[in-house]
Every structure is written in structure tokens, then in C-alpha cells.
Amino acid sequence: DFGLGVSVNLLAMIVVGGLVSISGNFIGATLMIGVPFFFSRVNIPMSIIFGVMLIIVVMFFPRGLGFGLYIFNWKYLSIPYTRFKKFIRKRKYENKSEKYLKIDDGRVHYIETENDGKYPVVFLHGNFASSTWYRPVIELLKTTDYKGVAIDLPGFGASSKPQREISIENYSRELKDIVEKLGFKKIDLVAHSLGGAIAYRFAMDNRDLINRLLLIDPAPGDGLKTPEENYPLINSYKDNRGLLRIALSKMLYFGDPYKLLDEITDDALLMDERAFVQNARILEKYNYLEELKTLDIPVLILVGENDSLINEKILKKTADALSHAEIKKVENVGHCINLENPELFVDILEKFLK
């Protein structure tokens, strides 16, 4: 009887706590020890109490209380902290030293090189991103002849969140407005990830405004499909800074030498809440391969050797469609050479622009 009772208790501890984490085992063990002590003066058989507990756990927490509490934390307890961090980041951008320009769809936040560079280079970020992703690059360019300007597109970072339709075409239209408001007659354009899709559209619609195009791990010219089962997780990022930070950290294979992960995470929280899902959706809706065949400018496509999202294979059709394109694989970087190794990126950029 003693052996049977111990076995039942161990089974109950495993089922109640769960096997998926150390905390689950700890919770199970605590309950198995604490419950008999708590009910020691109540004339109810422990078998009934444990039986009711097991039924409740199996019905409502099939993977154990440990896992249930873990999910509850990620889904609900993270929301107040996430909103607090978002509030603090918004306050940071109210500083008078921040730079903005006015366009038709609101105001646009940007950073620029503190120099008198003669050759304008505009830097366009990707999804969940902002001008902060180019801050190290902008700093490195200040000793060159290039005037670097990194923007927060409308709907991202500290820029306005216009309630127009989220689309590649609208982002491209807004980019044109920004370039014109900056007073640039012609630019070299650098675009990253989602920004690559916007850059295709911008270059094809505004051939008189662009000299050369450098793409960092860009979305392919024929679109990028996100598995449908990923969308609930993507949508949860807007209320869960912890999950968002983990997702962004996976893009930084080479590391975070400038310690910007927390800042880019907080910037991502400022994104238009509709865009958390819609930015992925719009990448599924275009195919520019035929139009790209008419684009007659130099294009350099950088692909991180360890990029888990973009690779040479899925960009081959894009490069083949462009008449003056080259794909360059960059060793020891993932999806974001501009953050992982900005010194190397600036070296590649200067050689391309010369």
C-alpha cells in the first residue's frame, strides 16, 4: 500500500506540474507536499483531493500547471510591461534634438550624418524596424563624402501612423515624398528586408530619382510567403516585448556589437499595430519580376551567409530579372549586416558607390 501510494503521488506530481519545464516539476512537488499539510485537519481522504486536482488539471491544463503558468505569463502578464516600455520609448522621441520632416501622410523621423556630404544616400529599413538599425552606419559615414539619411517610414518607429491602406505602393509613394522633402534630386538607395520590396517599386516608378540600389537580404522580387500558422505568433508580438526581442535577436547571427537590441525592440513596439500582420501579408501579394527586367541601374544584393530567412536560392530569379545585378554572399553575418558588422557594410557600400 505504501509503494502504491507513493507511486500515485509521483504520478500526480508529474501530471499536475508538467514535464515541460523545471518549474513544472517544482510546482508539482510543492503541491503534493503542501496539499496534505493544508488539508491535514479536514476529514477528507487525500485520494479524493488529489483526484479532483488531477481532473481539473487534465481538463484545463493538459500540459501541466507549469506550462499553463508559462503561457499565461507570455499572453497576459507581459502586456503591462510591454505597454510601459512602449510609453517610455515614445517619450524618448519627444526630445527636441530629434529630427522630423513633414510629408502628406504626417511627420517622418530621421537621422543623418553630421557632415557636408555631397552624395545623398537614403537608408530604408525593413519590417519591425526603424532608422535605429542604421545608426552605426550613419555614424561611420560622417567622415566620408556621403550624406546618409536613415528614415522611419510612416507607420514605423517615431514617425506618424497614418490610417491609409498598408501596401508596398503606399510605402513607395511616401518614400518619394520623403526624398523630395529632403531636397534630393537623385539618390543612392539602400534597403533592407521588407524595404527591398519597397525599393523595387520606388525604383521602377521613379527612375529619375535613383542612381544605384544596394539591397540587404531583401524580400524577393516575386514576393515572400509567410506560413499561415505563423500569423498568430506574429500578431502576439505587439503585446509581448519578450517574444519580440527573442525574434529580433535571431536575426543577429554575428551578435549585437553596438548593443542596440533593446532599442530596436522598443522601436518595433511603436509600429502601427495593423502592420504586425499586414506587412507580412503584403509581401505575398506582388510579383515584380517582369517589371524589374526594365530597370537599368546597378544593383548589389547582399545575402548573409547565415541568414535564416533569405538566401541566394530564393533571390536568383530577382537577380536574373535585373540587367545589372550582382549577388554577394557575406560570411559570418545573418539577416542584418548593417547591425552585425557595420564596418564591413560601410566598406562594401563605399566600394559599390565608387
Side-chain angles (χ1 to χ4, degrees):
D1 289 344
F2 175 78
L4 179 61
V6 171
S7 298
V8 170
N9 283 352
L10 287 173
L11 177 62
M13 179 182 75
I14 291 170
V15 173
V16 170
L19 288 172
V20 296
S21 65
I22 295 175
S23 61
N25 294 332
F26 176 76
I27 291 170
T30 301
L31 286 174
M32 290 308 103
I33 295 172
V35 168
F37 176 79
F38 184 78
F39 287 100
S40 60
R41 297 187 181 184
V42 179
N43 192 23
I44 302 176
M46 285 297 104
S47 58
I48 295 177
I49 295 172
F50 285 144
V52 171
M53 187 184 301
L54 283 170
I55 291 170
I56 293 173
V57 169
V58 169
M59 288 179 64
F60 299 103
F61 303 95
R63 297 186 183 183
L65 282 176
F67 186 78
L69 291 174
Y70 178 79
I71 295 301
F72 182 79
N73 172 56
W74 281 116
K75 277 190 172 182
Y76 305 108
L77 298 185
S78 64
I79 293 176
Y81 176 68
T82 298
R83 291 180 178 172
F84 172 73
K85 294 294 287 186
K86 185 174 179 178
F87 171 77
I88 294 298
R89 193 62 175 174
K90 281 183 179 178
R91 291 290 300 271
K92 181 263 182 189
Y93 283 118
E94 293 173 4
N95 192 304
K96 291 182 179 180
S97 65
E98 299 295 331
K99 294 181 178 180
Y100 295 89
L101 59 86
K102 185 75 172 65
I103 65 168
D104 291 343
D105 283 345
R107 70 174 191 169
V108 170
H109 175 258
Y110 68 98
I111 59 175
E112 62 180 347
T113 52
E114 299 298 332
N115 66 6
D116 297 318
K118 298 178 290 184
Y119 308 109
V121 184
V122 173
F123 294 88
L124 183 61
H125 59 74
N127 197 14
F128 298 102
S130 66
S131 56
T132 303
W133 289 59
Y134 289 109
R135 189 192 297 164
V137 173
I138 292 295
E139 182 66 21
L140 291 168
L141 284 176
K142 70 181 181 181
T143 58
T144 71
D145 290 329
Y146 298 104
K147 183 65 175 180
V149 178
I151 62 172
D152 295 357
L153 275 172
F156 294 84
S159 293
S160 296
K161 310 298 183 292
Q163 293 305 298
R164 44 79 177 117
E165 179 188 3
I166 293 174
S167 68
I168 298 296
E169 291 73 21
N170 278 335
Y171 285 142
S172 173
R173 174 182 54 79
E174 289 162 344
L175 176 58
K176 178 185 178 184
D177 199 359
I178 292 167
V179 171
E180 291 177 342
K181 291 296 193 304
L182 287 168
F184 297 147
K185 302 299 182 184
K186 211 160 189 178
I187 64 167
D188 292 309
L189 181 60
V190 174
H192 176 229
S193 199
L194 166 69
I198 301 166
Y200 302 141
R201 186 72 270 162
F202 175 84
M204 292 183 295
D205 291 344
N206 305 280
R207 297 166 195 258
D208 59 322
L209 288 178
I210 186 165
N211 288 314
R212 285 156 293 202
L213 179 59
L214 191 153
L215 302 170
I216 306 169
D217 300 281
D222 54 346
L224 184 66
K225 173 69 176 176
T226 296
E228 196 62 33
E229 59 270 21
N230 289 3
Y231 278 102
L233 177 61
I234 293 171
N235 190 50
S236 73
Y237 290 159
K238 65 177 181 286
D239 292 318
N240 196 313
R241 184 183 184 276
L243 282 179
L244 179 58
R245 188 180 189 276
I246 291 171
L248 293 176
S249 71
K250 299 299 183 183
M251 298 292 102
L252 304 174
Y253 175 86
F254 192 72
D256 181 23
Y258 285 78
K259 307 302 179 188
L260 291 174
L261 179 57
D262 285 316
E263 288 193 56
I264 64 173
T265 301
D266 292 339
D267 276 355
L269 291 173
L270 300 181
M271 192 166 67
D272 184 337
E273 290 195 354
R274 299 175 300 153
F276 279 77
V277 166
Q278 288 304 311
N279 281 341
R281 292 289 186 196
I282 63 177
L283 287 173
E284 302 175 355
K285 296 179 179 179
Y286 70 86
N287 187 333
Y288 297 147
L289 291 182
E290 285 302 313
E291 289 183 86
L292 287 175
K293 292 178 181 178
T294 68
L295 196 59
D296 190 27
I297 60 172
V299 179
L300 176 61
I301 304 173
L302 302 183
V303 181
E305 178 186 28
N306 303 102
D307 190 345
S308 59
L309 183 63
I310 301 295
N311 57 56
E312 287 181 283
K313 183 178 179 181
I314 67 173
L315 288 173
K316 186 179 186 307
K317 290 181 181 179
T318 305
D320 289 346
L322 293 160
S323 57
H324 303 290
E326 174 193 354
I327 294 182
K328 179 180 177 64
K329 181 186 282 189
V330 186
E331 296 181 353
N332 296 319
V333 295
H335 190 63
C336 317
I337 186 176
N338 43 309
L339 281 177
E340 298 170 75
N341 196 337
E343 292 81 7
L344 175 59
F345 172 71
V346 168
D347 182 60
I348 294 171
L349 173 65
E350 287 193 273
K351 289 176 181 176
F352 174 63
L353 296 182
K354 287 177 181 178

